[in-house]
Amino acid sequence: MYKIRFKNYNKINKNVDKSILFCYLILGIIGIIFIYSASMVPARMGSLTNGNIINSNHFMVRQSIFLFVGTLIVLFIAYFVDIDALKAKAFQQFIIIGVIILLIITLILGSEINGSKNWLNLGFFSIQSSEFLKLASIIYLSYIIDKKMSQARIYNIKTLLPPLFMLGFGLVLILVQGDLGGTILNIGIILFILMYSDIKNIVKVQLFGSISLPFVIYLIYTLIFDTKNTYRLNRIKVIMEPFKYENGEGYQLSNSLLAIGNGGVTGQGMGNGIMKLGYLPEPHTDFIFSVLAEEAGLIGVIAVIALYMYITFKGIIYANTTKNNYYKIICIGVVSYLFLQVFINLAGISGIIPLTGVTLPLLSYGGSSLLSISVAFGLLLATTKKINMEKDLETDK
């Protein structure tokens, strides 16, 4: 199903982009540090575990384990997996069908957390199934678009509708689970991939309409006509005047803005933040960046955003330097995954867009999120390795 390459290790080692790997590790370590800072007191108070008092380093230890496993995944994919081998038809079928089945099982047997039934309890570990559709979208669309372009069949929308229907069915399952943020993120990744690919502009417009229209209709319905989901409309109202509703719907956002404002330029210092002490809900997950802003200040904020931007621009540069459509789309898929998730989280906690519950990659606590983004980083590194090998071959000619 996939090939593992142990030969020519020195050559492979040279072509792996160490700077992207370094950024991954630094962000993961920063995440562990601030997860501990954000959760150590609330953990002892039991406010993060429904009143159950736990060890102050509970979340830090678990995140450290997740990061260790995630790093092994990144290194394995980057150094030993041939990205071209993932184009095998059997592997592609396994990925897309497997994710759809996982989403269906989650919808039937999943646990509901914060209004979304998108968690599947495996006993020792709970997985968020929507995370895996992001990866499936990147791998599957890269394969499909590259295959259709090689067959000169990409200039007709009909050739892309069947595979997009599979992904659309997955999006519907996530939406039915109640995960609007995850749905928006997955749609964004798919649209970024389609818009950046080399298919004709008229086909891009048709695809954009086909994917966006049903979602827009649903959004209008759920915001205006569905009385069970009026909280979503309230979130839009809150971003206009968060402090007017600070004792109600604006509680989360107003406290997030206070935390960010408290940080100033240099921050209050590690562990000295106040807003995590019962004011910020889920300070170790959705609002981890608010904690970072309060304790590390503008300097810390700029440093973390710079790391995300470096990875994003490096991925785009690699995509623009290769003529291989498969490599190009994987690079764009991974950086769009990273960029969109960072943007949605930061825009939400700063009041630019309504809060969606989307976590911050590598910084927020969570095994599913960290392992998913680790696989994405592995794919990016395995792809950029092949692009660098292409450059070496061209140089040798």
Side-chain angles (χ1 to χ4, degrees):
M1 191 169 291
Y2 54 82
K3 295 179 182 178
I4 303 176
R5 300 269 179 104
F6 292 97
K7 296 180 180 179
N8 302 321
Y9 178 78
N10 289 334
K11 188 175 181 180
I12 292 173
N13 178 58
K14 182 189 75 171
N15 287 302
V16 172
D17 193 316
K18 310 297 191 307
S19 63
I20 294 177
L21 180 59
F22 176 77
C23 290
Y24 166 87
L25 291 171
I26 293 298
L27 284 168
I29 292 169
I30 291 173
I32 289 172
I33 293 171
F34 280 95
I35 284 169
Y36 177 65
S37 178
S39 65
M40 58 180 179
V41 175
R44 294 296 299 166
M45 294 170 58
S47 59
L48 301 177
T49 50
N50 297 320
N52 298 318
I53 296 174
I54 56 177
N55 195 292
S56 59
N57 63 4
H58 172 82
F59 294 103
M60 181 195 70
V61 170
R62 287 179 63 86
Q63 188 73 0
S64 299
I65 295 171
F66 294 146
L67 181 61
F68 176 73
V69 175
T71 302
L72 292 180
I73 291 172
V74 172
L75 293 174
F76 176 77
I77 298 175
Y79 284 92
F80 301 119
V81 173
D82 182 354
I83 198 70
D84 289 317
L86 302 188
K87 291 194 286 186
K89 186 176 180 181
F91 180 81
Q92 293 292 331
Q93 290 174 337
F94 170 77
I95 285 291
I96 192 64
I97 295 174
V99 169
I100 294 296
I101 292 173
L102 179 64
L103 289 169
I104 293 173
I105 292 173
T106 304
L107 185 61
I108 298 171
L109 304 176
S111 304
E112 185 172 321
I113 299 177
N114 295 328
S116 299
K117 192 178 181 182
N118 60 347
W119 292 89
L120 188 62
N121 192 342
L122 302 180
F124 63 94
F125 180 61
S126 293
I127 61 172
Q128 191 174 9
S129 54
S130 60
E131 291 289 336
F132 299 98
L133 186 62
K134 302 171 191 174
L135 297 172
S137 299
I138 295 168
I139 296 171
Y140 187 58
L141 277 180
S142 301
Y143 161 74
I144 288 294
I145 292 175
D146 178 63
K147 180 181 177 182
K148 299 297 183 183
M149 292 195 73
S150 64
Q151 298 172 349
R153 295 171 56 200
I154 203 67
Y155 300 110
N156 190 329
I157 189 173
K158 293 180 181 179
T159 63
L160 285 175
L161 285 181
L164 286 174
F165 175 80
M166 293 289 292
L167 295 176
F169 183 57
L171 290 171
V172 170
L173 291 173
I174 295 176
L175 201 56
V176 172
Q177 291 171 2
D179 186 2
L180 182 60
T183 306
I184 294 172
L185 185 53
N186 275 283
I187 289 175
I189 293 170
I190 293 170
L191 290 177
F192 265 69
I193 289 174
L194 292 173
M195 293 304 108
Y196 194 85
S197 66
D198 290 333
I199 60 179
K200 290 183 70 174
N201 289 334
I202 184 62
V203 178
K204 291 180 181 180
V205 173
Q206 292 170 338
L207 290 171
F208 185 87
S210 301
I211 295 171
S212 302
L213 185 59
F215 176 72
V216 171
I217 292 173
Y218 170 82
L219 203 58
I220 293 172
Y221 165 75
T222 192
L223 289 176
I224 299 176
F225 301 106
D226 189 356
T227 55
K228 294 180 180 179
N229 291 313
T230 53
Y231 72 92
R232 289 175 179 160
L233 191 60
N234 289 336
R235 286 184 179 182
I236 297 175
K237 175 182 67 176
V238 162
I239 64 173
M240 306 303 294
E241 297 179 282
F243 293 102
K244 181 179 179 180
Y245 306 98
E246 61 180 327
N247 294 322
E249 295 93 342
Y251 178 80
Q252 295 177 320
L253 179 57
S254 58
N255 284 314
S256 175
L257 293 173
L258 285 172
I260 295 170
N262 287 344
V265 176
T266 58
Q268 299 295 320
M270 274 298 302
N272 295 328
I274 297 173
M275 303 310 293
K276 66 190 179 186
L277 305 178
Y279 300 101
L280 278 174
E282 307 294 334
H284 61 316
T285 55
D286 298 3
F287 294 93
I288 189 71
F289 199 78
S290 301
V291 176
L292 183 146
E294 185 176 16
E295 299 187 354
L298 181 62
I299 294 173
V301 166
I302 291 174
V304 169
I305 292 177
L307 289 170
Y308 284 129
M309 288 178 64
Y310 177 83
I311 299 166
T312 301
F313 286 121
K314 202 73 186 290
I316 293 172
I317 290 169
Y318 273 112
N320 287 332
T321 56
T322 180
K323 297 177 182 179
N324 188 306
N325 288 303
Y326 179 63
Y327 299 161
K328 178 187 297 186
I329 297 170
I330 289 180
C331 288
I332 290 301
V334 173
V335 298
S336 65
Y337 172 2
L338 181 71
F339 169 78
L340 286 170
Q341 191 153 335
V342 170
F343 173 78
I344 291 173
N345 178 272
L346 299 191
I349 65 166
S350 58
I352 297 173
I353 64 173
L355 291 165
T356 59
V358 171
T359 56
L360 191 60
L362 294 172
L363 264 70
S364 293
Y365 172 79
S368 293
S369 175
L370 197 148
L371 296 180
S372 173
I373 197 66
S374 296
V375 173
F377 265 85
L379 293 173
L380 178 62
L381 287 170
T383 304
T384 56
K385 175 183 68 180
K386 294 301 286 282
I387 294 172
N388 286 331
M389 291 172 72
E390 283 182 344
K391 293 179 184 176
D392 287 347
L393 288 173
E394 291 178 2
T395 303
D396 294 339
K397 288 181 180 179

